[in-house]
Amino acid sequence: LIELLGLHLIDSTDYPTHLPTLQLGEGQTAYNQLSTLLSQRQTHSTDTSYVSRVNDVEYKINNGKVYHEIIKEELRLMSSEVRVALEKYNIEKKLYSKGATTKIELLNKRSALNTLKREKQNIEKQLKQKEMEIFNAEQELSRLNYEYAQKERKLMESIQHEIANLKNFATLWQKQNIIKSPVEGKIYFNNSWAKNQHVDQNAKMFTILTEGQDLIAQMDIPSQGVSKVKVGQSVRLKVD
């Protein structure tokens, strides 16, 4: 866990899809939850059903816009036909008032005009209906994207929460189990330690010799050898 956190493999938005199996004691629950969340996020990010639904809705929108333009053109042409039919009817009406045409011709022109007006109304209804279909499809697309983004956000927040818990656990574990030197230098064992050996509280376990610092040795010299020791003499020490 400390290695993962130290390398920032899970401390970013580019999270892995799974975590290695670890035994973390008190941190196990948070670690297992994080592993589950990462799996859920992987499933969410590769959700083919979401992609399929989005593609379907986008196709419906694009296809609807194409038909919308076709219907608009039909309405433009029909509006032109209605104007022409209205002009013909008005001309026929004037001719009829002067006795230059029959009533049957006038009624035919009016009937043709009314037929075209009804067709125009039908096209206008189709246009409105298509606009509503496009609007509903765009709303559906917005809803899909919003729900997807919301789920992604909640997963990310949960992942970050569990990472924070694991960081706190790792930091506490380091403080309780890892000895860190406050300075750089060479470390010397004060005693020969065995694995799982009991260590008394406040016992001195190591000595750190920093660069340029002299190593001071304290030793007992037999009385018969005292006369052979002089200040400044070179000494070779051998420690059992």
Side-chain angles (χ1 to χ4, degrees):
L1 175 64
I2 294 173
E3 182 180 358
L4 285 173
L5 292 172
L7 294 176
H8 302 287
L9 292 182
I10 61 175
D11 189 18
S12 68
T13 55
D14 186 19
Y15 298 116
T17 57
H18 66 279
L19 295 176
T21 301
L22 296 179
Q23 300 298 324
L24 298 176
E26 294 180 359
Q28 193 66 47
T29 300
Y31 189 78
N32 291 344
Q33 180 64 17
L34 176 60
S35 181
T36 300
L37 289 168
L38 289 174
S39 177
Q40 290 176 352
R41 182 172 182 267
Q42 172 66 10
T43 301
H44 178 63
S45 62
T46 57
D47 186 1
T48 56
S49 63
Y50 162 75
V51 175
S52 177
R53 283 180 292 169
V54 168
N55 289 339
D56 288 343
V57 175
E58 287 180 340
Y59 174 80
K60 185 184 295 185
I61 292 172
N62 294 331
N63 194 50
K65 288 181 177 179
V66 171
Y67 277 102
H68 182 265
E69 292 302 313
I70 293 174
I71 296 171
K72 279 179 65 177
E73 180 62 17
E74 290 180 357
L75 180 60
R76 185 186 69 80
L77 295 175
M78 183 55 66
S79 297
S80 178
E81 290 185 28
V82 169
R83 285 195 298 271
V84 172
L86 180 59
E87 290 175 359
K88 289 182 178 180
Y89 173 72
N90 289 332
I91 292 172
E92 196 71 25
K93 192 175 181 180
K94 289 179 180 179
L95 291 174
Y96 178 75
S97 65
K98 295 178 180 181
T101 187
T102 64
K103 186 174 184 180
I104 293 176
E105 289 296 327
L106 177 63
L107 294 176
N108 287 339
K109 291 292 188 295
R110 187 171 67 180
S111 177
L113 175 62
N114 290 336
T115 298
L116 291 174
K117 283 183 176 180
R118 286 193 295 271
E119 290 181 6
K120 180 186 176 185
Q121 289 175 349
N122 289 333
I123 295 175
E124 288 173 339
K125 289 180 180 179
Q126 292 177 23
L127 187 64
K128 290 294 183 181
Q129 182 178 359
K130 188 58 64 177
E131 289 174 347
M132 184 58 66
E133 289 176 0
I134 294 172
F135 174 78
N136 290 336
E138 289 175 338
Q139 290 293 101
E140 175 68 7
L141 182 61
S142 297
R143 183 187 65 79
L144 287 173
N145 290 332
Y146 175 78
E147 290 178 353
Y148 183 87
Q150 282 292 95
K151 187 173 182 179
E152 175 73 7
R153 181 185 62 80
K154 289 180 180 179
L155 282 170
M156 293 291 288
E157 288 178 351
S158 298
I159 288 172
Q160 291 167 1
H161 176 73
E162 295 304 333
I163 287 177
N165 288 339
L166 287 170
K167 279 188 173 183
N168 292 335
F169 166 75
T171 300
L172 181 61
W173 186 91
Q174 286 179 308
K175 289 181 179 180
Q176 294 176 341
N177 297 276
I178 296 179
I179 300 173
K180 290 187 176 181
S181 171
V183 295
E184 293 185 1
K186 294 182 178 181
I187 186 169
Y188 296 89
F189 288 87
N190 290 353
N191 292 295
S192 297
W193 301 101
K195 187 176 180 180
N196 296 324
Q197 179 178 343
H198 175 75
V199 179
D200 293 331
Q201 186 176 3
N202 297 323
K204 184 179 291 186
M205 299 178 64
F206 313 103
T207 297
I208 300 173
L209 185 64
T210 59
E211 186 177 355
Q213 181 180 359
D214 294 329
L215 180 63
I216 300 176
Q218 181 177 347
M219 66 191 73
D220 296 326
I221 301 176
S223 57
Q224 60 270 25
V226 172
S227 60
K228 299 179 183 181
V229 178
K230 298 179 181 179
V231 176
Q233 181 179 357
S234 297
V235 179
R236 179 175 295 177
L237 300 178
K238 183 178 180 181
V239 180
D240 295 333

